[in-house]
Amino acid sequence: MPIADSYDPSKVNLFAKNHRTVGWAEGTMINGSRNEDKQSIYAGSKGEVTFVENANKAGTVEVTLKHNSASLPYYNRLYKTGEKFPLTANDINDGSRMGGVEAKVASMGNYERGNDVSETTITILVANYDLFF
C-alpha cells in the first residue's frame, strides 16, 4: 500500500481554442466554477419542499499567468476581438477536465511591473461550464 500520492502540475493543460496555455504563475494556475448552484430548494409556509434545478450553466474561469507569459498576447487578442472559443482544462494526473464550448475573455487582469516577475489573472466567462471527474 502506498504511503503518499504524487501530483505533477506539469500534467495540467489548458487549451483556448487550439492554443495550449504556457507561462503559468506560481501557485494556483486555473480556478473554475459555475456562477450559480445547480440546485436550490423552495419551502412553502407549511413545509412542503420543492427542489429547483437551475438552468443557468454559466461559469467563470480564472487563469493566473506570469507577466511575461507567451500566452498573454493570444488571450489579449481574444479579449480585444470578443471572439468566442472553446476552453478545456485537462488534468492527466486524475483524468478530470473542465470547460465549455463557448467562452469569452472578460478581463485581462491588472498590469503590474516591479523588481520581480509579477502575475496577472485573466477572467474567462464560459456559457456552458461543465466539470468532469
Side-chain angles (χ1 to χ4, degrees):
M1 177 180 232
I3 17 182
D5 290 330
S6 62
Y7 176 75
D8 183 354
S10 69
K11 293 182 179 178
V12 177
N13 292 295
L14 179 71
F15 292 91
K17 206 170 179 176
N18 58 359
H19 174 82
R20 182 174 167 261
T21 305
V22 296
W24 297 100
E26 188 176 307
T28 302
M29 303 182 303
I30 306 166
N31 184 9
S33 64
R34 281 179 67 134
N35 292 345
E36 297 180 16
D37 291 340
K38 182 177 179 175
Q39 301 286 335
S40 62
I41 196 166
Y42 177 88
S45 57
K46 291 195 173 194
E48 303 92 356
V49 172
T50 302
F51 287 97
V52 180
E53 186 164 345
N54 191 335
N56 183 353
K57 295 180 181 177
T60 302
V61 175
E62 292 181 331
V63 178
T64 306
L65 303 175
K66 298 183 297 183
H67 83 261
N68 59 348
S69 166
S71 289
L72 282 175
Y74 182 79
Y75 281 104
N76 194 43
R77 183 185 64 75
L78 292 172
Y79 173 71
K80 286 184 176 183
T81 63
E83 180 182 342
K84 283 192 257 183
F85 56 93
L87 183 76
T88 307
N90 298 306
D91 186 344
I92 297 168
N93 291 290
D94 63 8
S96 65
R97 62 189 195 284
M98 154 305 282
V101 295
E102 288 188 326
K104 281 189 164 197
V105 177
S107 169
M108 285 299 294
N110 296 331
Y111 180 87
E112 180 183 328
R113 297 294 185 274
N115 292 333
D116 206 349
V117 175
S118 58
E119 301 174 354
T120 187
T121 300
I122 300 167
T123 303
I124 302 169
L125 303 177
V126 183
N128 52 348
Y129 177 88
D130 212 344
L131 177 65
F132 304 94
F133 286 99

